[in-house]
Amino acid sequence: MRKQIAAANWKMNLTLQQGETLLDTIIATPHSLTDNQQAVFAVPFPYLAMAQQKLAGKKNVFVAAQNCYSKKNGAYTGETSVEMLQSLGIRYVVLGHSERREYFNESNQLLAEKVNICLEYQIQPIFCCGEPLSIREANTQNAYVTKQLEESLYHLTAEQLQHIVIAYEPIWAIGTGKTASSAQAQEMHAFIRAQLAARYGAAVANNISILYGGSVKAANAVEIFGQTDVDGGLVGGASLIADEFVSIINALKK
Ligand code: PGA
C-alpha cells in the first residue's frame, strides 16, 4: 500500500530558534501517524542536523533536504552533496521544485542527474512537477507534466522508480492562496498514475505516492487528501504554523 505523506517545505524561512520552536510545538501537539503515514520536514540546509536530532526516534517522521547537487564531491563551492546528506541520515530530498526550476534554471536533464545520484545514495527524491498558469489556460498541462516526468524519471527501472515520491504542484497554486480544486488535483494525479501504469505496470504505479502541493492548508486538506489518487501534500506556507501543519498531518488518509 502506498504511503500517505504530509511534507513540510519551509523554503527559505525561519531562524534556527524559530525552527526549533516550530518543531518542538509540533512534536508536543497530539497527532497520530499510522504505519502507512509519514510526516516529512524539508528544512533549510543549516537546520538539517538540528531537525534530525529533534526528530530522532519519532516513528514515521523524517527530515528532507530542499535540494542537493548532481555531482558526488569535489570543487563545487557552496553546494551540498548527497553523500553529505546520507551521512546525516537524511531520508528525502525535494527535487525540481518550481522555484528551483524558475530562479536557478534547473532543467529536466539536470534533475535526472540529481534523481540518479540520490538513488545511488539511497535518498528518496520528492520529485516536483507542475504547470504554469499559461499552460493550464491553454489546457496543455498533461503534455507539459508528461515531458517533465519523461525527461527526469522515465529512464529509471521499475525497481528504482519505487523509491520516488512525486509531488504535483501547479505553479499557479503555489503561495497564491489559489488551490487547484480537488477535482483538478484528482484529474492530474490519476493521469500521472495511468502513465506510470502504462510504462511500469499497475502494481508499480499503485505503489507510488503522488502528493499535491499548492496552498494546502488545514481548511482544505481533508478534501484534497480524500481524493483517490492524492496521497498527501507538499506544504509551504501552512507548514510554518504548528497547528495548521498538525491538522494537515491528521488529514492524511488512513
Ligand atoms: P504553498 O507552497 O503551500 O505555500 O503554496 C507549496 C510548495 O511550494 O511546495
Side-chain angles (χ1 to χ4, degrees):
M1 215 161 120
R2 56 184 182 258
K3 300 267 180 259
Q4 305 294 310
I5 301 171
N9 178 10
W10 289 5
K11 307 192 181 184
M12 196 177 76
N13 291 300
L14 307 178
T15 62
L16 175 64
Q17 292 73 23
Q18 288 168 334
E20 287 179 316
T21 305
L22 178 57
L23 285 180
D24 285 338
T25 313
I26 291 172
I27 292 166
T29 309
H31 60 276
S32 63
L33 288 166
T34 65
D35 284 349
N36 203 40
Q37 298 174 328
Q38 295 182 358
V40 174
F41 293 87
V43 305
F45 285 125
Y47 309 161
L48 286 170
M50 173 280 285
Q52 268 300 88
Q53 210 170 5
K54 273 202 191 297
L55 301 173
K58 303 265 176 294
K59 199 168 161 254
N60 294 337
V61 179
F62 300 101
V63 178
Q66 297 176 14
N67 183 29
C68 66
Y69 197 45
S70 55
K71 302 276 192 269
K72 278 196 177 168
N73 53 39
Y76 301 104
T77 303
E79 290 297 329
T80 301
S81 74
V82 177
E83 188 180 40
M84 293 171 188
L85 301 177
Q86 187 193 48
S87 71
L88 282 169
I90 300 303
R91 174 68 163 258
Y92 289 105
V93 178
V94 177
L95 287 182
H97 191 281
S98 60
E99 289 148 16
R100 296 220 54 91
R101 292 173 185 267
E102 182 179 348
Y103 306 136
F104 303 97
N105 297 319
E106 295 202 0
S107 65
N108 293 341
Q109 288 69 26
L110 174 71
L111 292 169
E113 288 177 33
K114 291 189 176 189
V115 164
N116 290 344
I117 197 156
C118 284
L119 294 177
E120 197 179 323
Y121 284 87
Q122 290 89 45
I123 296 203
Q124 288 187 250
I126 299 178
F127 181 84
C128 304
C129 57
E131 79 286 354
L133 185 60
S134 57
I135 295 288
R136 172 63 65 165
E137 282 173 349
N139 199 28
T140 53
Q141 63 273 10
N142 287 3
Y144 188 92
V145 169
T146 298
K147 188 168 155 61
Q148 291 179 319
L149 299 178
E150 202 164 87
E151 295 185 353
S152 300
L153 295 185
Y154 289 163
H155 62 285
L156 300 175
T157 64
E159 203 288 314
Q160 289 175 315
L161 192 83
Q162 314 228 32
H163 301 290
I164 306 279
V165 171
I166 293 175
Y168 168 61
E169 302 202 302
I171 298 171
W172 45 273
I174 295 178
T176 56
K178 193 176 166 192
T179 328
S181 69
S182 49
Q184 283 172 320
Q186 168 57 23
E187 195 179 25
M188 179 58 86
H189 284 228
F191 172 73
I192 293 171
R193 202 178 305 285
Q195 270 205 13
L196 296 175
R199 284 168 189 267
Y200 293 95
V204 172
N206 284 331
N207 235 350
I208 305 237
S209 303
I210 308 178
L211 316 185
Y212 168 80
S215 300
V216 172
K217 46 185 189 277
N220 59 26
V222 171
E223 185 181 338
I224 296 173
F225 295 175
Q227 302 302 307
T228 316
D229 287 292
V230 178
D231 308 310
L234 180 57
V235 186
S239 76
L240 301 173
I241 305 161
D243 284 355
E244 278 281 314
F245 194 63
V246 169
S247 299
I248 290 167
I249 294 173
N250 289 333
L252 290 171
K253 279 200 284 278
K254 298 285 179 231

